[in-house]
């Protein structure tokens, strides 16, 4: 059971906003904000270096917190500036040659896909898109048929930026593991709203952010790299933290995932990330996932009953991102009208998932993303607002 009253008390803005934009940047709970403020105050009192030294125990503990969240080991975790940096450090550590193939999904995120295109342009590698099945999920049988000796990477976004889709990450992992192909999973929208177990999934690398469903600060992210693969990867960029300068002509990469980090970072934000992970673990990821699905299902059902609304979600078991359009109303106008009514939602344009958007002829879509601290009344409030926009 989730103590909604306590959680909302830890989320002061929830008393004045129906905040349903958690796929963008969730509301941070009070312990997260306090952790960052304490460290900033400490830095102002004794200086940044001394503050980091004094808080070294708490700072190092963040690796353990993220590891527990993912069912990983602390030495398999790197803490970085954001999910994009995490993903790029993993992807650009891999080597590709002419004819090598990268397999990805129809709903792959733009930031990842342009990186595929850049590497393909540089090396002659080929980007192949695995088709979706009738539900809109990546077709795992098609994936199996597409694998040959030239496939050097499977890279998938688990929960795309819109469309409600939850791709079959674990089924993909079983195929990748059986064929010995590295598997990079973008878990940016999954972490914090559902159970993420890297052992069960079978991914070799996983990237995520702190600011979305995890309820951490902006400017935080992390990378998981499975230990056997870790030793084979050299980051595309290094400094003397990632790779100490051991002699005049030699550096030595760290043995752990911190080889993907650099020396300077935002320690206050890192402590905020750790507090966010600990908060989520204390609430319970299982109950969080259950409530997210309950609220998003209520929202889809309510919106589907509104005249002129089309739900744009995919998949057999959609997650807590509800995408829709409304006849006669542009997405941005709907977002603005909701904001004027004290309801925070967002919009997503086709360029963020271009292949999926072109295949489905999607315009800009409205994106509402409830989280466990939301109430049924807030869901109904949004539905009522949208219904009020319908012609009478």
């Amino acid at each position: 059971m989730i103590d909604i009253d306590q959680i909302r008390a830890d989320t002061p803005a929830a008393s004045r906003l129906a905040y349903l934009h958690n796929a963008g940047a969730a509301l941070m709970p009070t312990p997260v904000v306090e952790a960052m403020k304490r460290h900033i105050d400490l830095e102002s009192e004794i200086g940044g270096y001394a503050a980091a030294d004094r808080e070294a125990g708490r700072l190092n503990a963040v690796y353990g917190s993220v590891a527990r969240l993912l069912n990983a080991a602390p030495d398999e975790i790197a803490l970085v500036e954001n999910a994009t940096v995490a993903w790029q450090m993993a992807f650009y550590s891999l080597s590709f040659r002419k004819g090598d193939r990268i397999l990805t999904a129809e709903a792959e995120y733009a930031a990842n896909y342009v990186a595929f295109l850049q590497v393909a342009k540089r090396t002659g590698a080929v980007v192949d898109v695995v088709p979706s099945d009738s539900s809109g999920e990546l077709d795992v049988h098609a994936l199996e048929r597409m694998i040959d000796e030239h496939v050097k990477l499977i890279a998938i976004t688990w929960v795309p930026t819109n469309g409600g889709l939850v791709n079959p990450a674990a089924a993909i992992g079983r195929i990748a593991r059986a064929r010995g192909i590295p598997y990079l999973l973008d878990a940016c929208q999954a972490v914090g709203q559902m159970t993420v177990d890297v052992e069960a999934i079978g991914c070799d690398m996983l990237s995520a952010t702190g600011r979305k469903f995890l309820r951490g600060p902006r400017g935080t992210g992390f990378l998981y790299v499975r230990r056997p693969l870790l030793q084979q990867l050299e980051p595309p960029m290094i400094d003397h933290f990632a790779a100490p300068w051991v002699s005049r002509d030699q550096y030595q990469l760290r043995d752990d995932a911190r080889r993907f980090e650099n020396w300077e970072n935002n320690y206050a934000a890192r402590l905020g990330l750790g507090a966010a992970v600990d908060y989520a673990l204390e609430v319970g990821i299982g109950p969080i996932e259950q409530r997210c699905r309950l609220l998003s299902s209520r929202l889809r059902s309510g919106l589907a009953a509104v005249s002129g609304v089309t739900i744009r979600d995919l998949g057999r078991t959609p997650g807590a991102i509800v995408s829709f359009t409304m006849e006669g109303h542009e997405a941005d106008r709907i977002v603005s009208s909701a904001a004027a009514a004290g309801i925070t939602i967002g919009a997503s344009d086709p360029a963020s998932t271009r292949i999926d958007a072109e295949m489905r002829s999607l315009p800009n879509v409205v994106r509402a993303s409830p989280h466990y601290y939301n109430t049924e009344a807030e869901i109904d409030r949004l539905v009522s607002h949208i219904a009020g926009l319908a012609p009478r």
Side-chain angles (χ1 to χ4, degrees):
M1 295 293 293
I2 293 178
D3 186 345
I4 296 298
D5 290 339
Q6 180 58 58
I7 287 167
R8 287 177 69 81
D10 287 341
T11 313
S15 65
R16 57 182 178 81
L17 284 176
Y19 192 88
L20 301 165
H21 194 22
N22 297 285
L27 296 176
M28 294 182 289
T30 300
V32 172
V33 177
E34 290 178 344
M36 292 189 290
K37 285 181 176 179
R38 282 196 302 269
H39 194 76
I40 291 172
D41 287 343
L42 185 61
E43 287 188 343
S44 72
E45 294 167 1
I46 65 174
Y49 282 23
D53 289 342
R54 182 177 295 185
E55 294 297 297
R58 285 194 180 94
L59 289 164
N60 285 327
V62 178
Y63 294 93
S65 295
V66 174
R68 286 193 298 276
L69 181 72
L70 304 181
N71 188 28
D75 66 341
E76 295 175 313
I77 304 299
L79 303 176
V80 294
E81 296 90 333
N82 53 62
T84 300
V85 168
W87 189 94
Q88 289 175 337
M89 290 299 283
F91 175 67
Y92 286 103
S93 294
L94 301 167
S95 297
F96 297 95
R97 296 182 298 179
K98 185 175 182 179
D100 287 346
R101 299 172 64 209
I102 300 167
L103 300 187
T104 190
E106 289 178 351
E108 192 63 15
Y109 186 53
N112 303 346
Y113 207 92
V114 297
F116 300 150
L117 294 176
Q118 184 186 54
V119 163
K121 182 178 179 181
R122 287 176 176 175
T123 67
V126 177
V127 185
D128 286 325
V129 178
V130 182
S132 300
D133 62 21
S134 58
S135 77
E137 297 175 8
L138 179 139
D139 188 332
V140 293
H141 301 296
L143 172 63
E144 284 190 291
R145 292 192 297 270
M146 291 176 70
I147 291 176
D148 61 20
E149 69 274 14
H150 300 293
V151 175
K152 302 302 179 184
L153 176 68
I154 299 172
I156 302 296
T157 295
W158 189 359
V159 178
T161 191
N162 58 36
L165 179 64
V166 179
N167 272 315
I172 296 167
R174 287 190 289 272
I175 294 169
R177 187 65 56 83
R179 303 297 289 269
I181 300 169
Y183 174 23
L184 170 57
L185 184 63
D186 181 336
C188 203
Q189 303 279 20
V191 167
Q193 72 150 305
M194 60 181 62
T195 301
V196 179
D197 183 334
V198 293
E199 288 300 321
I201 295 167
C203 58
D204 297 292
M205 300 160 283
L206 178 147
S207 60
T209 185
R211 68 179 161 87
K212 295 178 181 283
F213 290 97
L214 199 52
R215 304 184 65 192
R218 295 193 71 175
T220 59
F222 52 85
L223 172 67
Y224 156 81
V225 182
R226 188 182 299 278
R227 192 180 291 111
L229 179 61
L230 174 64
Q231 303 303 321
Q232 303 172 35
L233 299 182
E234 177 151 338
M237 297 170 289
I238 56 174
D239 72 356
H240 59 302
F241 176 83
W245 192 13
V246 294
S247 67
R248 177 71 67 90
D249 299 316
Q250 185 178 6
Y251 63 86
Q252 183 173 328
L253 286 168
R254 293 179 61 110
D255 290 332
D256 57 17
R258 298 188 203 189
R259 64 174 60 185
F260 298 101
E261 298 180 12
N262 57 61
W263 183 80
E264 181 57 32
N265 65 82
N266 186 335
Y267 286 109
R270 180 170 290 191
L271 289 170
L273 173 65
V277 173
D278 292 341
Y279 192 91
L281 290 172
E282 184 175 352
V283 173
I285 299 299
I288 288 173
E289 180 172 359
Q290 184 178 14
R291 184 161 179 81
C292 284
R293 291 189 182 276
L294 174 70
L295 293 174
S296 57
S297 177
R298 184 185 186 99
L299 181 54
R300 286 189 186 92
S301 297
L303 290 171
V306 176
S307 175
V309 168
T310 301
I311 304 297
R312 301 291 188 166
D313 292 341
L314 300 171
R316 296 175 179 83
T317 56
I321 301 177
V322 181
S323 304
F324 65 96
T325 54
M326 188 175 191
E327 187 177 351
H329 294 269
E330 294 181 357
D332 290 341
R333 291 287 185 89
I334 294 175
V335 172
S336 296
S337 71
I343 304 168
T344 304
I345 54 178
S348 182
D349 70 79
S352 63
T353 51
R354 181 169 294 281
I355 295 174
D356 173 58
E358 290 179 355
M359 293 182 68
R360 296 200 282 149
S361 299
L362 290 179
N364 282 16
V365 298
V366 183
R367 185 176 71 165
S369 44
H371 209 358
Y372 66 97
Y373 58 77
N374 290 121
T375 65
E376 287 82 353
E378 289 174 332
I379 300 299
D380 297 343
R381 183 176 162 191
L382 174 58
V383 172
S384 178
H385 177 79
I386 299 301
L389 301 177
R392 300 187 183 278

